[in-house]
Amino acid sequence: MLKISVVYGVLSGTIVILSMLLGIISSEGQGFYASEYFGYLIMLVALSMIFVGIKRYRDLHLGGVIKFFPGFGLGLAISAIAGAIYVFVWEIYLFNTDFAFINEYTAGLIEAKKAEGVTGAALDKVIAEAEELKVNYAKPYIRLPMTFIEIFPVGLIISLISAVLLRNPKLLPAKA
């Protein structure tokens, strides 16, 4: 089970982070490829490896039958490894870009509020919150879990769904 966790976790994490970084770099931080929607779409696609990993373990190691909790546990292990890869590579990216991401992100938040017509005290509040986010993002003990929490809940949901579906041995049975 450990080998499958590592292989599919590394595969999922690598697909997610490289796709997201490619989107951010190619769109210069603007547009759909740098959006949260694109990021979560990539996570859904890449974390489908959880389903594949659980099915492979069920079919090759358990004779085509897996109970919910072992399947769910395997899915969580794959999710955790994918999350660790995601955080690790994101930290390398941040380091190599002098942590420019948070400045660009907060500037984008402020500009979006200005475009919505927010002014005065409401805009000052947005600016203060953005500045607080910058300060907190500079702290690794806040930034690392924040980054992990971006991906792990998606993996948790996919693990749950995959474990429920794959406990039925009639769903995509192993080829004899």
Side-chain angles (χ1 to χ4, degrees), residues 93-160:
Y93 171 76
L94 288 176
F95 180 78
N96 286 320
T97 59
D98 293 324
F99 295 85
F101 166 79
I102 195 63
N103 295 324
E104 295 167 5
Y105 180 76
T106 54
L109 290 175
I110 294 166
E111 288 304 315
K113 291 297 180 180
K114 286 180 181 177
E116 291 174 10
V118 175
T119 59
L123 183 59
D124 291 341
K125 182 180 178 194
V126 169
I127 292 170
E129 289 171 352
E131 289 303 317
E132 183 181 354
L133 178 60
K134 279 189 211 179
V135 169
N136 286 332
Y137 203 76
K139 301 172 185 171
Y141 63 88
I142 293 176
R143 183 182 61 250
L144 294 171
M146 186 186 302
T147 305
F148 186 78
I149 292 297
E150 290 174 13
I151 188 171
F152 189 74
V154 178
L156 177 74
I157 292 167
I158 293 173
S159 298
L160 183 63

Side-chain angles (χ1 to χ4, degrees), residues 36-172:
E36 291 176 10
Y37 298 115
F38 176 72
Y40 282 105
L41 177 64
I42 291 297
M43 286 181 196
L44 281 171
V45 171
L47 290 170
S48 67
M49 290 293 116
I50 293 168
F51 183 90
V52 175
I54 294 171
K55 182 180 179 331
R56 184 165 176 83
Y57 182 68
R58 177 191 80 172
D59 294 348
L60 296 180
H61 299 281
L62 299 178
V65 178
I66 192 167
K67 293 184 179 190
F68 172 78
F69 285 109
F72 186 58
L74 178 57
L76 290 179
I78 293 169
S79 299
I81 293 167
I85 297 292
Y86 180 77
V87 170
F88 179 73
V89 176
W90 182 250
E91 285 296 307
I92 292 170
Y93 171 76
L94 288 176
F95 180 78
N96 286 320
T97 59
D98 293 324
F99 295 85
F101 166 79
I102 195 63
N103 295 324
E104 295 167 5
Y105 180 76
T106 54
L109 290 175
I110 294 166
E111 288 304 315
K113 291 297 180 180
K114 286 180 181 177
E116 291 174 10
V118 175
T119 59
L123 183 59
D124 291 341
K125 182 180 178 194
V126 169
I127 292 170
E129 289 171 352
E131 289 303 317
E132 183 181 354
L133 178 60
K134 279 189 211 179
V135 169
N136 286 332
Y137 203 76
K139 301 172 185 171
Y141 63 88
I142 293 176
R143 183 182 61 250
L144 294 171
M146 186 186 302
T147 305
F148 186 78
I149 292 297
E150 290 174 13
I151 188 171
F152 189 74
V154 178
L156 177 74
I157 292 167
I158 293 173
S159 298
L160 183 63
I161 292 168
S162 298
V164 166
L165 292 175
L166 290 171
R167 69 186 177 144
N168 179 359
K170 294 178 184 173
L171 180 72
L172 301 170

